mmCIF file with all atom_site columns, all heavy atoms in Angstrom:
data_model
loop_
_atom_site.group_PDB
_atom_site.id
_atom_site.type_symbol
_atom_site.label_atom_id
_atom_site.label_alt_id
_atom_site.label_comp_id
_atom_site.label_asym_id
_atom_site.label_entity_id
_atom_site.label_seq_id
_atom_site.pdbx_PDB_ins_code
_atom_site.Cartn_x
_atom_site.Cartn_y
_atom_site.Cartn_z
_atom_site.occupancy
_atom_site.B_iso_or_equiv
_atom_site.pdbx_formal_charge
_atom_site.auth_seq_id
_atom_site.auth_comp_id
_atom_site.auth_asym_id
_atom_site.auth_atom_id
_atom_site.pdbx_PDB_model_num
ATOM 1  N N   . ASN A 1 103 ? -61.584 201.498 69.230 1.00 0.00 ? 103 ASN A N   1
ATOM 2  C CA  . ASN A 1 103 ? -62.006 200.539 68.107 1.00 0.00 ? 103 ASN A CA  1
ATOM 3  C C   . ASN A 1 103 ? -62.297 199.213 68.541 1.00 0.00 ? 103 ASN A C   1
ATOM 4  O O   . ASN A 1 103 ? -62.874 198.374 67.910 1.00 0.00 ? 103 ASN A O   1
ATOM 5  C CB  . ASN A 1 103 ? -60.949 200.635 66.954 1.00 0.00 ? 103 ASN A CB  1
ATOM 6  C CG  . ASN A 1 103 ? -60.972 201.946 66.222 1.00 0.00 ? 103 ASN A CG  1
ATOM 7  O OD1 . ASN A 1 103 ? -62.165 202.495 66.071 1.00 0.00 ? 103 ASN A OD1 1
ATOM 8  N ND2 . ASN A 1 103 ? -59.940 202.317 65.655 1.00 0.00 ? 103 ASN A ND2 1
ATOM 9  N N   . LYS A 1 153 ? -65.937 207.335 65.405 1.00 0.00 ? 153 LYS A N   1
ATOM 10 C CA  . LYS A 1 153 ? -64.928 206.643 64.587 1.00 0.00 ? 153 LYS A CA  1
ATOM 11 C C   . LYS A 1 153 ? -64.235 207.449 63.653 1.00 0.00 ? 153 LYS A C   1
ATOM 12 O O   . LYS A 1 153 ? -62.976 207.588 63.693 1.00 0.00 ? 153 LYS A O   1
ATOM 13 C CB  . LYS A 1 153 ? -65.598 205.469 63.790 1.00 0.00 ? 153 LYS A CB  1
ATOM 14 C CG  . LYS A 1 153 ? -64.736 204.589 63.155 1.00 0.00 ? 153 LYS A CG  1
ATOM 15 C CD  . LYS A 1 153 ? -65.574 203.395 62.493 1.00 0.00 ? 153 LYS A CD  1
ATOM 16 C CE  . LYS A 1 153 ? -64.609 202.296 62.073 1.00 0.00 ? 153 LYS A CE  1
ATOM 17 N NZ  . LYS A 1 153 ? -65.425 201.170 61.490 1.00 0.00 ? 153 LYS A NZ  1
ATOM 18 N N   . GLN A 1 156 ? -61.598 209.565 65.346 1.00 0.00 ? 156 GLN A N   1
ATOM 19 C CA  . GLN A 1 156 ? -60.427 209.009 65.763 1.00 0.00 ? 156 GLN A CA  1
ATOM 20 C C   . GLN A 1 156 ? -59.511 208.575 64.587 1.00 0.00 ? 156 GLN A C   1
ATOM 21 O O   . GLN A 1 156 ? -58.282 208.626 64.725 1.00 0.00 ? 156 GLN A O   1
ATOM 22 C CB  . GLN A 1 156 ? -60.918 207.541 66.377 1.00 0.00 ? 156 GLN A CB  1
ATOM 23 C CG  . GLN A 1 156 ? -61.469 207.687 67.817 1.00 0.00 ? 156 GLN A CG  1
ATOM 24 C CD  . GLN A 1 156 ? -62.027 206.324 68.385 1.00 0.00 ? 156 GLN A CD  1
ATOM 25 O OE1 . GLN A 1 156 ? -61.985 205.353 67.669 1.00 0.00 ? 156 GLN A OE1 1
ATOM 26 N NE2 . GLN A 1 156 ? -62.517 206.321 69.530 1.00 0.00 ? 156 GLN A NE2 1
ATOM 27 N N   . VAL A 1 157 ? -60.089 208.290 63.429 1.00 0.00 ? 157 VAL A N   1
ATOM 28 C CA  . VAL A 1 157 ? -59.289 207.562 62.306 1.00 0.00 ? 157 VAL A CA  1
ATOM 29 C C   . VAL A 1 157 ? -59.308 208.437 61.031 1.00 0.00 ? 157 VAL A C   1
ATOM 30 O O   . VAL A 1 157 ? -58.396 208.114 60.297 1.00 0.00 ? 157 VAL A O   1
ATOM 31 C CB  . VAL A 1 157 ? -59.661 206.147 62.138 1.00 0.00 ? 157 VAL A CB  1
ATOM 32 C CG1 . VAL A 1 157 ? -59.543 205.400 63.343 1.00 0.00 ? 157 VAL A CG1 1
ATOM 33 C CG2 . VAL A 1 157 ? -61.067 206.033 61.522 1.00 0.00 ? 157 VAL A CG2 1
ATOM 34 N N   . THR A 1 161 ? -55.618 208.269 59.962 1.00 0.00 ? 161 THR A N   1
ATOM 35 C CA  . THR A 1 161 ? -55.443 206.867 59.452 1.00 0.00 ? 161 THR A CA  1
ATOM 36 C C   . THR A 1 161 ? -56.090 206.602 58.150 1.00 0.00 ? 161 THR A C   1
ATOM 37 O O   . THR A 1 161 ? -55.312 206.142 57.256 1.00 0.00 ? 161 THR A O   1
ATOM 38 C CB  . THR A 1 161 ? -56.015 206.010 60.575 1.00 0.00 ? 161 THR A CB  1
ATOM 39 O OG1 . THR A 1 161 ? -55.489 206.189 61.876 1.00 0.00 ? 161 THR A OG1 1
ATOM 40 C CG2 . THR A 1 161 ? -55.756 204.525 60.092 1.00 0.00 ? 161 THR A CG2 1
ATOM 41 N N   . ILE A 1 347 ? -59.144 198.395 55.341 1.00 0.00 ? 347 ILE A N   1
ATOM 42 C CA  . ILE A 1 347 ? -59.078 199.613 55.929 1.00 0.00 ? 347 ILE A CA  1
ATOM 43 C C   . ILE A 1 347 ? -58.389 199.635 57.340 1.00 0.00 ? 347 ILE A C   1
ATOM 44 O O   . ILE A 1 347 ? -58.755 198.763 58.096 1.00 0.00 ? 347 ILE A O   1
ATOM 45 C CB  . ILE A 1 347 ? -60.503 200.223 56.022 1.00 0.00 ? 347 ILE A CB  1
ATOM 46 C CG1 . ILE A 1 347 ? -61.166 200.351 54.812 1.00 0.00 ? 347 ILE A CG1 1
ATOM 47 C CG2 . ILE A 1 347 ? -60.321 201.618 56.813 1.00 0.00 ? 347 ILE A CG2 1
ATOM 48 C CD1 . ILE A 1 347 ? -62.658 200.805 54.891 1.00 0.00 ? 347 ILE A CD1 1
ATOM 49 N N   . PRO A 1 348 ? -57.341 200.324 57.593 1.00 0.00 ? 348 PRO A N   1
ATOM 50 C CA  . PRO A 1 348 ? -56.731 200.298 58.801 1.00 0.00 ? 348 PRO A CA  1
ATOM 51 C C   . PRO A 1 348 ? -57.656 200.478 60.011 1.00 0.00 ? 348 PRO A C   1
ATOM 52 O O   . PRO A 1 348 ? -58.449 201.386 59.975 1.00 0.00 ? 348 PRO A O   1
ATOM 53 C CB  . PRO A 1 348 ? -55.657 201.427 58.754 1.00 0.00 ? 348 PRO A CB  1
ATOM 54 C CG  . PRO A 1 348 ? -55.394 201.685 57.242 1.00 0.00 ? 348 PRO A CG  1
ATOM 55 C CD  . PRO A 1 348 ? -56.754 201.424 56.662 1.00 0.00 ? 348 PRO A CD  1
ATOM 56 N N   . GLU A 1 349 ? -57.515 199.678 61.134 1.00 0.00 ? 349 GLU A N   1
ATOM 57 C CA  . GLU A 1 349 ? -58.462 199.761 62.292 1.00 0.00 ? 349 GLU A CA  1
ATOM 58 C C   . GLU A 1 349 ? -59.767 199.622 61.932 1.00 0.00 ? 349 GLU A C   1
ATOM 59 O O   . GLU A 1 349 ? -60.602 200.241 62.702 1.00 0.00 ? 349 GLU A O   1
ATOM 60 C CB  . GLU A 1 349 ? -58.107 201.146 62.926 1.00 0.00 ? 349 GLU A CB  1
ATOM 61 C CG  . GLU A 1 349 ? -56.574 201.142 63.388 1.00 0.00 ? 349 GLU A CG  1
ATOM 62 C CD  . GLU A 1 349 ? -56.293 202.443 64.088 1.00 0.00 ? 349 GLU A CD  1
ATOM 63 O OE1 . GLU A 1 349 ? -57.250 202.933 64.956 1.00 0.00 ? 349 GLU A OE1 1
ATOM 64 O OE2 . GLU A 1 349 ? -55.279 203.137 63.998 1.00 0.00 ? 349 GLU A OE2 1
ATOM 65 N N   . ASP A 1 350 ? -60.180 198.890 60.844 1.00 0.00 ? 350 ASP A N   1
ATOM 66 C CA  . ASP A 1 350 ? -61.569 198.794 60.486 1.00 0.00 ? 350 ASP A CA  1
ATOM 67 C C   . ASP A 1 350 ? -61.758 197.474 59.962 1.00 0.00 ? 350 ASP A C   1
ATOM 68 O O   . ASP A 1 350 ? -61.534 197.117 58.737 1.00 0.00 ? 350 ASP A O   1
ATOM 69 C CB  . ASP A 1 350 ? -62.103 199.777 59.602 1.00 0.00 ? 350 ASP A CB  1
ATOM 70 C CG  . ASP A 1 350 ? -63.661 199.749 59.388 1.00 0.00 ? 350 ASP A CG  1
ATOM 71 O OD1 . ASP A 1 350 ? -64.240 198.767 59.611 1.00 0.00 ? 350 ASP A OD1 1
ATOM 72 O OD2 . ASP A 1 350 ? -64.150 200.774 58.711 1.00 0.00 ? 350 ASP A OD2 1
ATOM 73 N N   . ASP A 1 351 ? -62.230 196.354 60.788 1.00 0.00 ? 351 ASP A N   1
ATOM 74 C CA  . ASP A 1 351 ? -62.519 195.107 60.170 1.00 0.00 ? 351 ASP A CA  1
ATOM 75 C C   . ASP A 1 351 ? -63.759 194.868 59.583 1.00 0.00 ? 351 ASP A C   1
ATOM 76 O O   . ASP A 1 351 ? -63.990 193.826 58.915 1.00 0.00 ? 351 ASP A O   1
ATOM 77 C CB  . ASP A 1 351 ? -62.363 194.115 61.547 1.00 0.00 ? 351 ASP A CB  1
ATOM 78 C CG  . ASP A 1 351 ? -60.866 193.991 61.974 1.00 0.00 ? 351 ASP A CG  1
ATOM 79 O OD1 . ASP A 1 351 ? -59.934 194.370 61.257 1.00 0.00 ? 351 ASP A OD1 1
ATOM 80 O OD2 . ASP A 1 351 ? -60.845 193.749 63.253 1.00 0.00 ? 351 ASP A OD2 1
#
Side-chain angles (χ1 to χ4, degrees):
N103 285 330
K153 190 172 192 176
Q156 291 175 355
V157 303
T161 304
I347 301 177
E349 300 184 38
D350 185 348
D351 295 330

